Amino acid sequence: MSWQWKSIVVVWLFALVCAVLTGLLSFPGQALVWIGLSFAGCVIGTLCVQLATGRKEGYVNRVTVSLVGAVAVLAGATGIFALAGLA
């Protein structure tokens, strides 16, 4: 795995950790608020990680892939929370 993919996967894993912690620690009905804050953290984390690489080649692509992956992870978690709320 190249360093580009490692810098992207770090953000995806951060989103997954945020989703799990949201599911475990949030009060009923508050998961959506924490998912939004988790995404904000992913945006800031993405920018920090990608700027820390010091490489301008492919910066926009790496940021885009990082954030699309984070959105996918958090959207999946939101779907799970919604289904759990129906039960």
Side-chain angles (χ1 to χ4, degrees), residues 24-44:
L24 293 175
L25 301 176
S26 67
F27 292 113
Q30 293 294 313
L32 219 59
V33 173
W34 288 103
I35 288 292
L37 291 172
S38 298
F39 182 66
C42 288
V43 169
I44 292 169

Side-chain angles (χ1 to χ4, degrees), residues 39-65:
F39 182 66
C42 288
V43 169
I44 292 169
T46 295
L47 296 175
C48 290
V49 168
Q50 296 306 328
L51 287 173
T53 62
R55 305 284 294 237
K56 64 180 181 179
E57 299 84 14
Y59 172 78
V60 173
N61 289 334
R62 292 191 311 270
V63 169
T64 302
V65 172

